[in-house]
Amino acid sequence: FAYTCHRTAQAQQLVHPFTPFVVLTPYFIMLSKVNTSAVNGLSAMPVFLEVNCQQLHAQDATSLYFMVGLPDNAVRESKLRVENALLSSGVKQPDRMKFTINFAPADVRKEGSGYDLPLALGLMASVGQVPAEKLSRYVLVGELGLDGSIRPIKGALSIAIKAREQQYEGLIVPRDNVREAAVVNKLKVYGAAHLQQVIDFFKGEDSLQPTLVNTREEFYAAQSQFPFDFADVKGQQSVKRAFEVAAAGGHNIMHIGTTGSGKSMKASRLPDILPRRTQPDSPDTTHTHAGAGKLGAETSLVAQRPFRSPHHTISDVALIGGGTSCKPGEISLAHNGVLFLDELPEFSRTALETLRQPLEDREITISRSKYTVTLPCSFMLVASMNPCPCGYYNHPTHECKCSPAQILKYKNRISGPLLDRIDIQVEVTPVSVADLAQAPAGEPSSVIRERVVAARQRQTERYSAFRGIHCNAQMTRAMLETYARPDADGAAVLERAMHRLDLSARAYDRILKVARTIADLDASEAVLERHIKEAVNYRNLDRGSWGE
């Protein structure tokens, strides 16, 4: 056994040929620590990247890299990206080194390529090529290309919020993410396009300057940028009135109409008549979009209300959020805005049923084996559908070829509980070519918005003592008894409608909420009979004879 060890040592030239028991014996050089971050959903978690460098005695031994702390494949592959990026930046790592890289906390899985930049600086700091003391005051995140370029990552805004919370001096992110992260005040945010810039920065050269974003100026500059206007919609006054009521009270709305009746056209114009965003509300929406990687390089704040229109083939996860690494879904991307589901019956039944709880709670809790995340999803649901499979039921000129059974089956693709959660349901009939040519331009969005804003202001004042209640659609059952109780004639009309249409208790509450909004548009403190009648008229799909 001693002879075998002796021959092995001789072959590897590790020790004197007559020494029987010696193997690789490293000696300690330096331990470096780099601050970075991991994103889960909309929250960031501090991650500390520790690099321990030891030199090997063996003359012909190449450098060894050992990664611990639950790195995934993308993190493990960073070794090759970092090595080539360092070489492209003129940095050569010493030979015969053993690098032990620990991602702490070690019990949380590290995913993605955002650890490339901190790993590159950690390797340099471990051999004394950059000062470790200055490095410890900053948070670094970014993906590296083989040429040393720094590529964008997701969740830069969440990382910036956490860096400020941890009271770091600054944050270094890819240049494409710098405007997203720079909306966080009291934190120096630097955008780098190449690894060489970051190296020079930590060596004391002024290669990077902090980015400043005037959020107030940019926010108000984007308030008037709307591509669509309700003036383009001619005729269909009752439908436009329904959209005005929906905007005034924050109600969900569904419109049923034949092919070519303008359903998508009106839905796309709804954000233009909603009240303008306030600056304190903008960070919530911006945070959600940043967590999903939906902000562009030139975008710092989402100043306008989101309008999301997913295709009907969307999966359940893409709609509500989740996945292997939690990402916001379409309902969260529509937070404080509009979610438009065109051709509602074509969506999968399971996807539609997942909307029931978020429509009530205005937030979604996603629980998986690896995480539990709560995401905001306070949105207005706007849905549209054809009246039948062929799309021509009740069309004035085209004949419908569907049987009553087919029409009923098509309508029943949408469950009753989901329909109950849609406050306003209206039928849309197409405008004839002759009427389109003769009809004057419709009322512009700016005029409609004035009435909507006035109604919303009344609601804001009314519910000022209630936290989280800003519009009539958010009223609780107890609040309905106080603020939406109809007069005697209105109560009688509502009672008859409940029996005749066989409405549910949830539909009863929805009618009262819509009636309260109609009263606010009339500047009336009392909910009168005419308000109840109009609200009942917005329950088209509750009528047993519809589609028969």
Side-chain angles (χ1 to χ4, degrees):
F1 177 77
Y3 177 79
T4 302
C5 292
H6 164 69
R7 295 296 297 170
T8 303
Q10 268 193 326
Q12 296 184 357
Q13 299 180 359
L14 297 177
V15 293
H16 191 275
F18 297 103
T19 304
F21 293 100
V22 176
V23 291
L24 288 172
T25 55
Y27 62 91
F28 173 78
I29 293 183
M30 189 178 293
L31 173 68
S32 67
K33 180 180 177 181
V34 186
N35 306 305
T36 183
S37 191
V39 178
N40 183 23
L42 299 183
S43 60
M45 179 187 68
V47 173
F48 307 104
L49 197 154
E50 300 171 320
V51 181
N52 183 19
C53 176
Q54 296 173 308
Q55 188 171 18
L56 302 173
H57 281 298
Q59 296 297 320
D60 58 348
T62 58
S63 295
L64 305 176
Y65 295 84
F66 298 94
M67 290 187 180
V68 296
L70 293 181
D72 71 349
N73 288 336
V75 179
R76 292 184 181 278
E77 291 173 353
S78 64
K79 168 183 171 292
L80 296 176
R81 292 193 298 270
V82 169
E83 279 185 333
N84 284 273
L86 288 172
L87 288 174
S88 299
S89 303
V91 179
K92 188 178 185 304
Q93 290 294 101
D95 294 329
R96 301 185 302 277
M97 292 290 180
K98 175 187 175 184
F99 294 99
T100 303
I101 304 158
N102 178 44
F103 296 86
D107 60 341
V108 177
R109 187 164 183 80
K110 315 306 182 303
E111 300 175 339
S113 56
Y115 301 103
D116 292 2
L117 181 60
L119 177 57
L121 273 295
L123 291 174
M124 294 183 65
S126 67
V127 294
Q129 293 175 330
V130 294
E133 190 277 330
K134 184 177 181 180
L135 192 62
S136 65
R137 305 199 303 266
Y138 292 82
V139 176
L140 288 80
V141 64
E143 176 185 338
L144 291 178
L146 299 183
D147 59 351
S149 60
I150 304 179
R151 295 169 178 165
I153 50 92
K154 296 179 181 179
L157 179 57
S158 300
I159 295 171
I161 294 172
K162 179 58 68 173
R164 181 183 62 181
E165 181 183 317
Q166 299 292 318
Q167 298 183 345
Y168 285 105
E169 182 177 330
L171 168 68
I172 298 179
V173 297
R175 186 170 60 184
D176 288 346
N177 295 116
V178 67
R179 293 185 61 79
E180 170 190 337
V183 300
V184 178
N185 57 9
K186 299 180 182 179
L187 179 72
K188 296 179 181 179
V189 179
Y190 302 84
H194 197 277
L195 176 60
Q196 186 63 55
Q197 294 177 294
V198 184
I199 295 173
D200 293 341
F201 174 78
F202 284 107
K203 286 184 176 181
E205 301 179 14
D206 295 331
S207 59
L208 297 176
Q209 296 296 327
T211 299
L212 300 177
V213 175
N214 189 332
T215 55
R216 182 180 296 273
E217 178 181 326
E218 293 192 7
F219 178 82
Y220 288 108
Q223 288 297 295
S224 59
Q225 300 174 4
F226 286 91
F228 305 114
D229 196 295
F230 258 97
D232 302 329
V233 182
K234 296 182 179 182
Q236 300 179 333
Q237 295 301 321
S238 62
V239 182
K240 288 196 288 186
R241 167 66 175 180
F243 272 88
E244 180 181 339
V245 173
H251 303 289
N252 303 319
I253 181 172
M254 172 189 284
H255 47 308
I256 309 100
T258 59
T259 302
S261 58
K263 300 186 294 296
S264 300
M265 180 183 184
K266 287 182 281 294
S268 62
R269 284 154 176 77
L270 179 61
D272 197 14
I273 65 174
L274 290 172
R276 293 291 187 252
R277 297 286 303 277
T278 59
Q279 193 174 2
D281 294 338
S282 186
D284 290 340
T285 308
T286 305
H287 196 184
T288 306
H289 283 246
K294 299 296 184 181
L295 289 182
E298 301 301 321
T299 304
S300 56
L301 281 176
V302 179
Q304 298 179 359
R305 294 189 181 275
F307 181 82
R308 306 295 300 181
S309 180
H311 193 260
H312 62 259
T313 57
I314 189 171
S315 66
D316 303 358
V317 172
L319 184 62
I320 68 169
T324 304
S325 57
C326 185
K327 295 180 182 178
E330 288 293 331
I331 63 174
S332 295
L333 294 175
H335 180 59
N336 289 328
V338 175
L339 177 67
F340 176 45
L341 301 183
D342 196 11
E343 302 300 338
L344 189 67
E346 303 300 329
F347 285 77
S348 72
R349 184 66 176 254
T350 55
L352 292 180
E353 293 306 304
T354 60
L355 294 176
R356 288 162 55 176
Q357 181 262 338
L359 285 172
E360 291 286 342
D361 299 343
R362 299 184 181 271
E363 65 179 18
I364 177 72
T365 299
I366 304 171
S367 298
R368 300 292 182 266
S369 59
K370 295 182 180 180
Y371 59 81
T372 298
V373 175
T374 299
L375 301 174
C377 58
S378 180
F379 59 90
M380 279 184 61
L381 175 64
V382 180
S384 70
M385 62 177 287
N386 289 332
C388 65
C390 77
Y392 290 112
Y393 177 76
N394 273 354
H395 195 282
T397 58
H398 288 77
E399 180 183 357
C400 174
K401 298 181 180 180
C402 303
S403 66
Q406 288 176 314
I407 297 174
L408 186 60
K409 181 179 179 181
Y410 187 76
K411 188 188 78 168
N412 287 341
R413 291 184 184 181
I414 308 169
S415 68
L418 180 60
L419 280 177
D420 272 351
R421 289 166 169 82
I422 300 177
D423 306 355
I424 299 175
Q425 305 159 12
V426 291
E427 189 171 359
V428 185
T429 55
V431 181
S432 66
V433 176
D435 292 338
L436 281 175
Q438 299 174 3
E443 196 175 26
S445 295
S446 58
V447 176
I448 302 175
R449 191 189 316 117
E450 289 179 2
R451 297 195 294 265
V452 169
V453 170
R456 284 285 186 110
Q457 183 61 36
R458 296 185 184 95
Q459 297 166 45
T460 300
E461 295 173 358
R462 182 185 302 130
Y463 309 132
S464 59
F466 300 91
R467 183 177 180 181
I469 306 295
H470 308 288
C471 59
N472 289 330
Q474 299 173 337
M475 280 194 294
T476 63
R477 186 69 187 84
M479 295 171 67
L480 288 175
E481 293 292 332
T482 305
Y483 301 110
R485 182 185 292 275
D487 63 1
D489 293 335
V493 169
L494 181 55
E495 183 178 356
R496 288 197 300 270
M498 290 293 296
H499 290 295
R500 183 176 302 173
L501 302 178
D502 193 22
L503 300 179
S504 67
R506 182 179 284 112
Y508 177 87
D509 290 349
R510 302 285 173 172
I511 290 173
L512 288 178
K513 291 179 181 181
V514 173
R516 176 68 268 174
T517 300
I518 297 170
D520 288 333
L521 286 170
D522 279 353
S524 171
E525 282 300 318
V527 178
L528 306 177
E529 179 185 4
R530 66 177 183 271
H531 304 143
I532 294 292
K533 286 182 176 180
E534 183 177 353
V536 171
N537 196 48
Y538 292 141
R539 302 296 301 186
N540 277 11
L541 287 184
D542 286 326
R543 299 173 184 172
S545 60
W546 193 93
E548 296 180 1

